[in-house]
Amino acid sequence: MTETSASARTGSPSVGVVVITYRARATLERCLTPVLASPLRPRVLVVNSSSNDGTVELARALGAQTWVIPRASFNHGLTREAARRKLATDIVVMLTPDCFARSPDFLERLVEPIASGRAEVAYARQVAAADADILARFGRAFCYPERSEIRSAADVARLGSAVHFCSNACAAWSNPALDRIGGFKPTLVSEETIAVCELLEAGGRIAYVAEAVVEHSHPTRLLDSFRRQFDVGWTRETWRHLLLAHGTDEARGLVYASALVRTVLAEAPHLLPWALLDTAVRWAGYRAGRLAAHLPTRIARSLSGQDFFWGEEAPRRVRAAAGR
């Protein structure tokens, strides 16, 4: 491989960046500019699910490679797996186009634990946008603290299910490590969590890099909250032998809910009913997802955030990969 040969000559690993897009023209330039300007000189591949909104043309104008796929064929795991193999770099960074670097050196900071051999995967700290609502701000602060850490399977007793937390909105991966576990698996969502679980079981380490900061948040909308958690619940149940092996999500959820109530009472007590309603909606979506194997496909499709997933082939392929 050309990239691997180059890295061998320079002593530095080659870096690729995969940006998964759909109707991303409005945010793509802000996302890509610091990536393309990095002294790491990464190869950047923008994958687009046939959105036909100018995303592909803009990506090419900015200097990125592009790969257009049919919307119906997109899969969070398999599409990223194919993209990383196309790049074939030593390190691959997965990025979504609504992640914006807070410093020009965020990419170098993010990949450092992998380049130095201290971890096989590293994920960035996400902070909410300045105009984000209190629930979005709290969610980012809860999941992405200010202190970096490196975790291994030895931390399961201390952290439970939180040991495998990761986000492919902005995460770097050792491609050889992914090769050893067979890469990203077919899934509805949470391809990064599945991969982290497999890496931890194989003796790998995950780095949380608080110094690599990106802005990434979404407005809190009840239907979106339900659908996102429905998809998480379905994935947790399908891959339960990995994703629920270190403790239930409910245990961490109770810690989250308790901390949320304290924060809202301290900062905006009039919003407590809204916060409680959103929490209840998330829990209901998660539980519905866990039970979705018993629901007709048409109902699962209506509850999910990804209606294109619910044909006959994709769920069957995911269950087969998970041994279900």
Side-chain angles (χ1 to χ4, degrees):
M1 299 176 188
T2 302
E3 295 77 13
T4 303
S5 300
S7 67
R9 290 195 302 270
T10 63
S12 300
S14 56
V15 177
V17 179
V18 173
V19 187
I20 301 295
T21 64
Y22 181 70
R23 295 178 180 171
R25 181 178 173 82
T27 62
L28 188 64
E29 184 169 5
R30 185 181 175 192
C31 172
L32 283 188
T33 298
V35 174
L36 291 166
S38 169
L40 296 177
R41 300 179 63 188
R43 290 182 60 197
V44 179
L45 176 62
V46 173
V47 182
N48 183 259
S49 300
S50 303
S51 59
N52 299 318
D53 66 334
T55 297
V56 173
E57 292 77 9
L58 176 58
R60 290 171 180 163
L62 291 170
Q65 299 172 242
T66 59
W67 177 35
V68 180
I69 63 173
R71 177 67 171 161
S73 71
F74 175 79
N75 180 274
H76 276 287
L78 294 182
T79 301
R80 285 178 169 86
E81 176 65 10
R84 79 169 184 94
R85 291 185 178 276
K86 279 180 175 289
L87 286 179
T89 48
D90 300 317
I91 297 173
V92 62
V93 175
M94 296 294 164
L95 193 63
T96 56
D98 55 352
C99 275
F100 310 125
R102 282 288 186 90
S103 65
D105 63 347
F106 96 99
L107 191 62
E108 298 95 285
R109 291 177 179 269
L110 178 64
V111 305
E112 190 281 329
I114 301 173
S116 64
R118 296 187 295 125
E120 285 69 40
V121 53
Y123 65 101
R125 181 185 178 199
Q126 298 181 25
V127 297
D131 59 351
D133 59 68
I134 188 172
L135 269 64
R137 294 199 310 273
F138 172 81
R140 290 298 181 261
F142 181 85
C143 294
Y144 303 94
E146 297 181 358
R147 184 176 179 179
S148 298
E149 66 175 1
I150 294 181
R151 305 192 297 268
S152 71
D155 295 299
V156 169
R158 176 174 64 92
L159 296 172
S161 63
V163 72
H164 56 232
F165 180 79
C166 182
S167 172
N168 249 354
C170 187
W173 301 80
S174 160
N175 256 331
L178 283 173
D179 287 341
R180 289 194 293 272
I181 63 168
F184 293 116
K185 305 302 190 295
T187 184
L188 175 57
V189 292
S190 305
E191 77 290 336
E192 71 277 69
T193 314
I194 295 166
V196 167
C197 286
E198 293 180 323
L199 287 170
L200 290 175
E201 285 192 352
R205 294 149 299 178
I206 175 172
Y208 167 56
V209 188
E211 297 79 17
V213 184
V214 294
E215 179 184 303
H216 181 231
S217 59
H218 304 282
T220 303
R221 301 185 179 97
L222 294 179
L223 183 57
D224 290 345
S225 294
F226 180 93
R227 285 178 168 167
R228 189 174 297 114
Q229 291 305 310
F230 177 90
D231 291 345
V232 169
W234 188 88
T235 304
R236 289 291 199 271
E237 185 64 28
T238 304
W239 290 90
R240 62 177 300 127
H241 64 288
L242 283 175
L243 302 183
L244 299 178
H246 304 310
T248 65
D249 291 315
E250 282 86 350
R252 183 166 169 80
L254 288 173
V255 176
Y256 174 95
S258 177
L260 173 63
V261 168
R262 292 195 300 271
T263 299
V264 173
L265 284 176
E267 298 182 13
H270 64 287
L271 294 177
L272 183 61
W274 178 49
L276 293 175
L277 177 60
D278 181 72
T279 302
V281 166
R282 288 171 182 269
W283 179 84
Y286 175 83
R287 294 307 306 174
R290 292 283 303 274
L291 297 172
H294 306 290
L295 297 175
T297 299
R298 60 183 178 81
I299 294 179
R301 180 186 293 112
S302 69
L303 298 178
S304 171
Q306 301 180 58
D307 58 354
F308 57 85
F309 174 84
W310 298 94
E312 290 186 6
E313 182 180 353
R316 184 186 302 119
R317 178 181 290 184
V318 173
R319 292 189 184 99
R324 307 288 292 178

